[in-house]
Amino acid sequence: MYKPTYFYQYLTTFTALLTILTGGMHYAWPSPSLPQLTSNNSSSLQITNDEGSWIIIMELISPIPSCFLGAFIVDLIGRKKAILLSAIPYFLSWLMIAFANSELTLGAARLLAGVSDGIAFTVIPLYIAEIADASIRGLLGAAISVSWISGMLFINVVGAYLSISTTALICSVFPILLVLTFIWMPESPYHLIMKHDIERARIALRKFKGRSDIEDELSRLQEAVKTQNQKNASVWDLFRKKNNQEGLRIVAIVRNAQQMSGVAAISFYTLSIFNEAGDFISPFTATVIYVSIQCFMTAVCSVLIDRTGRRPLLIASLIGSAISLFVLGTYFYIKDFTTIDISSFNFVPLLALLGYVIIFNIGAQPIPLLIQGELFPTNVKALASCFSEVYFCIIASMVSKLFQTLRDSFGMYLPFYGFAVCSAVNLVFVIFFVPETKGKTLEEIQATLGVKKSKSARKLVIAQ
């Protein structure tokens, strides 16, 4: 027997998250690229603002069908092969962007990238939740958002200095790195047990746990998989069983809290927002500062989350987000619709957005993906991840398109007021309906869901 170590859990998570890193690059690609495409002299290919808004949401539309593909193949071919498969559309989409000569090609490339998004965000939270020890599951789960935002930072920096084609070719390297590194990592022990490959599950557990005495753990997983897979799951099982219903409600609440605060629209239009805010600082510098802090604060959350728990960070995040967004909306209203001289306050948009990104990324950004991987039994986990991704794509698409429409029709202030109100409303739902999952095994979490609670029991859950 040797000293336990989590080395393989960290290594496997790091290599798997190269696909999320690539997804973050695609997601934020419009921020440095749209200003080039919509200006009159920055790019040989020119598009209108409306065409740009449709190109943006293409990557939010295609994950809706592709996540069903992810839910199907994750149990058929396994978590590992599904993650490797996501590299192919990502790679091809970067090549399409690099050599695009029309807005249709760019839209098609974004659609193709969305196929990988659907697969990756269905499989990755599930895979990490299954391989991670309960004591570090919050850290590894929050690393999904850290990787996502790191990709956003990378594309904003590189895309600001290089052409669209050169940037796309550089980004195409990352899907290749995913294949070259992750191919050597173990499959999820849960999946191997589901496929009755006990010996490979035993080997994988020894690697992930960093010790040889894993028979008790293996027996626990076998019993859990047997209990949770007594019959094949259907889509309707997500909606019929009490524990799954409760899980879906929680996922919908935290996804609403995340997306209705406007994070997708702000990510897509960061450079444009700072362009309209004033000349206190250059839009590019402000954007890089914004995304850098976003990345740093998500990393801070990944460290704190297993100590403080999910609920306190999520609640604090929504309170701060509502305040920051309200301040930002007020600034734009005064600037565009009054005669008040605010030249002495042109630093407010930067401070408000930095305040938003600091507090939002301490909880509301990373926690929904983490919770998504914790709440469901193995027989419906893939379907639940699929539902969460579909719901995310619908909400993010609507919010992003609505942002562009409201901004163009009424002014920049109205979307931010709307985001502030939504953050406040979703805060109430989080306080009363989202339980704490810190430090619990996946089986313990299942045991607490769907149980009819007395008032005292509900108070206990909320207080946890």
Side-chain angles (χ1 to χ4, degrees), residues 8 16 33 215 220 236 240 278 280 319 338 348 372 379 438:
Y8 249 98
S33 302
E215 293 305 318
R220 183 182 68 80
W236 301 115
R240 283 198 299 249
F280 173 72
I319 293 173
T338 72
V348 169
Q372 171 186 320
N379 66 331
K438 181 188 75 169

Side-chain angles (χ1 to χ4, degrees), residues 325-394:
L325 291 166
F326 181 82
V327 170
L328 197 57
T330 301
Y331 173 87
F332 279 114
Y333 180 81
I334 295 173
K335 174 179 177 289
D336 295 334
F337 294 94
T338 72
T339 58
I340 299 174
D341 181 14
I342 58 170
S343 58
S344 300
F345 299 93
N346 57 2
F347 59 88
V348 169
L350 177 62
L351 290 184
L353 269 179
L354 292 185
Y356 166 77
V357 75
I358 288 172
I359 196 67
F360 180 82
N361 285 278
I362 204 70
Q365 174 65 44
I367 288 176
L369 274 174
L370 168 62
I371 288 180
Q372 171 186 320
E374 294 180 324
L375 295 179
F376 300 95
T378 56
N379 66 331
V380 297
K381 191 172 288 188
L383 291 171
S385 293
C386 176
F387 169 86
S388 177
E389 180 65 12
V390 168
Y391 193 73
F392 159 77
C393 291
I394 292 173

Side-chain angles (χ1 to χ4, degrees), residues 158-375:
V158 175
Y161 288 105
L162 302 178
S163 69
I164 292 174
S165 296
T166 303
T167 301
L169 290 175
I170 292 173
C171 292
S172 69
V173 172
F174 288 89
I176 298 174
L177 288 177
L178 167 67
V179 174
L180 293 178
T181 57
F182 186 67
I183 196 170
W184 306 106
M185 299 300 114
E187 176 60 272
S188 161
Y190 277 87
H191 175 73
L192 294 172
I193 292 172
M194 287 170 64
K195 295 300 182 181
H196 308 291
D197 194 343
I198 305 303
E199 185 54 37
R200 285 182 62 203
R202 181 178 285 109
I203 293 171
L205 264 180
R206 284 173 177 163
K207 287 184 176 180
F208 285 132
K209 298 298 181 181
R211 63 178 192 269
S212 57
D213 56 327
I214 47 80
E215 293 305 318
D216 288 344
E217 179 76 7
L218 182 62
S219 298
R220 183 182 68 80
L221 294 187
Q222 285 179 282
E223 185 60 32
V225 171
K226 179 181 177 181
T227 301
Q228 296 172 14
N229 290 270
Q230 290 178 344
K231 67 175 184 176
N232 293 329
S234 69
V235 173
W236 301 115
D237 287 326
L238 274 177
F239 304 98
R240 283 198 299 249
K241 295 188 175 180
K242 292 292 184 181
N243 60 324
N244 295 335
Q245 290 174 359
E246 184 73 12
L248 287 176
R249 279 194 292 269
I250 294 168
V251 166
I253 289 170
V254 295
R255 279 299 195 183
N256 285 342
Q258 180 192 62
Q259 291 305 313
M260 289 184 181
S261 70
V263 62
I266 294 172
S267 297
F268 293 147
Y269 291 100
T270 305
L271 203 60
S272 299
I273 292 170
F274 283 121
N275 268 325
E276 293 192 31
D279 55 2
F280 173 72
I281 190 173
S282 75
F284 165 68
T285 303
T287 299
V288 171
I289 293 174
Y290 174 87
V291 183
S292 298
I293 293 177
Q294 189 176 16
C295 185
F296 176 76
M297 294 311 300
T298 308
V300 170
C301 174
S302 69
V303 175
L304 293 177
I305 199 167
D306 283 319
R307 300 177 183 179
T308 64
R310 285 66 161 152
R311 278 176 50 83
L313 293 179
L314 194 55
I315 291 170
S317 180
L318 290 173
I319 293 173
S321 296
I323 295 171
S324 299
L325 291 166
F326 181 82
V327 170
L328 197 57
T330 301
Y331 173 87
F332 279 114
Y333 180 81
I334 295 173
K335 174 179 177 289
D336 295 334
F337 294 94
T338 72
T339 58
I340 299 174
D341 181 14
I342 58 170
S343 58
S344 300
F345 299 93
N346 57 2
F347 59 88
V348 169
L350 177 62
L351 290 184
L353 269 179
L354 292 185
Y356 166 77
V357 75
I358 288 172
I359 196 67
F360 180 82
N361 285 278
I362 204 70
Q365 174 65 44
I367 288 176
L369 274 174
L370 168 62
I371 288 180
Q372 171 186 320
E374 294 180 324
L375 295 179

Side-chain angles (χ1 to χ4, degrees), residues 32-82:
S33 302
L34 277 190
Q36 298 182 48
L37 293 168
T38 54
S39 65
N40 293 323
N41 52 15
S42 298
S43 173
S44 58
L45 174 60
Q46 297 296 306
I47 63 174
T48 66
N49 286 333
D50 190 60
E51 288 171 338
S53 71
W54 284 109
I55 289 173
I56 283 175
I57 67 171
M58 286 298 102
E59 193 176 351
L60 297 173
I61 293 174
S62 55
I64 294 175
S66 70
C67 70
F68 287 98
L69 172 64
F72 174 73
I73 65 174
V74 71
D75 287 334
L76 182 66
I77 66 175
R79 285 76 163 129
K80 178 179 174 179
K81 290 179 181 177

Side-chain angles (χ1 to χ4, degrees), residues 448-464:
T448 64
L449 292 178
V451 178
K452 188 173 182 180
K453 304 178 182 70
S454 64
K455 290 183 179 179
S456 59
R458 181 170 290 278
K459 289 179 182 178
L460 177 61
V461 169
I462 292 174
Q464 284 180 323

